[in-house]
Amino acid sequence: DAGITQSPRHKVTETGTPVTLRCHQTENHRYMYWYRQDPGHGLRLIHYSYGVKDTDKGEVSDGYSVSRSKTEDFLLTLESATSSQTSVYFCAISPGGGTYEQYFGPGTRLTVT
Amino acid sequence: GENVEQHPSTLSVQEGDSAVIKCTYSDSASNYFPWYKQELGKRPQLIIDIRSNVGEKKDQRIAVTLNKTAKHFSLHITETQPEDSAVYFCFITYNFNKFYFGSGTKLNVKP
């Protein structure tokens, strides 16, 4: 597996609380992504980053924000968690520069009660 | 999603048989076509990919074929084994700023 970690791996939180998930890579890859995976929906892109401080929205970005202040870290924030955001969240990285294969982190299981 | 359609959603085969999964996309400008495998409780992993300048690529028992005219690409697994049981996803990117996974195919290989 590529050098990519996610923290926390599991989290249970209450509706209305803020939550931040962290993705850390040691591969110096340019692109980083946040996906959510739900039964019946496969993997859906939330946000992605194509460089430090360069981010863009994905298919399901409402209710989420991201930040990337350095190459190795990509943070996903749920400002006010809702039950519909209960999901498994995967971070992924890819080198860019004409190379597009994605390498995934181990995932974070988030439950919003 | 609607930008890429994957079929079938489930596939059950006998060990040793072949399995084929197909994805159809909408943007003819797409030029990178990978397949990912996700075992139960694990992360997705790239198993094979193809670029638009070739029509087929093989790696041992798996292959990917591309029909750019018809805008579809397929994953072929021959001589299936129980360890091939997993969920398989295709992936498409549009202008490298839109990224979509197919909805997934759950493959069950019966011993």
Side-chain angles (χ1 to χ4, degrees), chain B residues 53-106:
Chain B
N53 57 343
V54 297
E56 182 177 10
K57 181 178 179 180
K58 289 183 179 180
D59 183 3
Q60 299 182 3
R61 295 186 299 105
I62 61 173
V64 54
T65 59
L66 172 64
N67 185 327
K68 286 215 76 177
T69 302
K71 289 187 282 188
H72 65 72
F73 60 112
S74 299
L75 175 68
H76 304 255
I77 306 174
T78 59
E79 301 174 29
T80 53
Q81 301 170 5
E83 53 264 39
D84 295 328
S85 295
V87 180
Y88 293 82
F89 295 96
C90 63
F91 175 85
I92 201 80
T93 176
Y94 297 107
N95 297 320
F96 303 109
N97 60 8
K98 302 294 180 189
F99 307 91
Y100 300 97
F101 278 88
S103 53
T105 297
K106 185 175 183 179

Side-chain angles (χ1 to χ4, degrees), chain A residues 1 37 48 101-102 104-105, chain B residues 32 36 38 43 45 91 97:
Chain A
D1 293 326
Q37 185 170 37
Y48 73 100
E101 53 264 36
Q102 299 193 14
F104 284 81
Chain B
Y32 176 64
Y36 289 80
Q38 186 177 28
R43 71 190 82 184
Q45 292 195 305
F91 175 85
N97 60 8

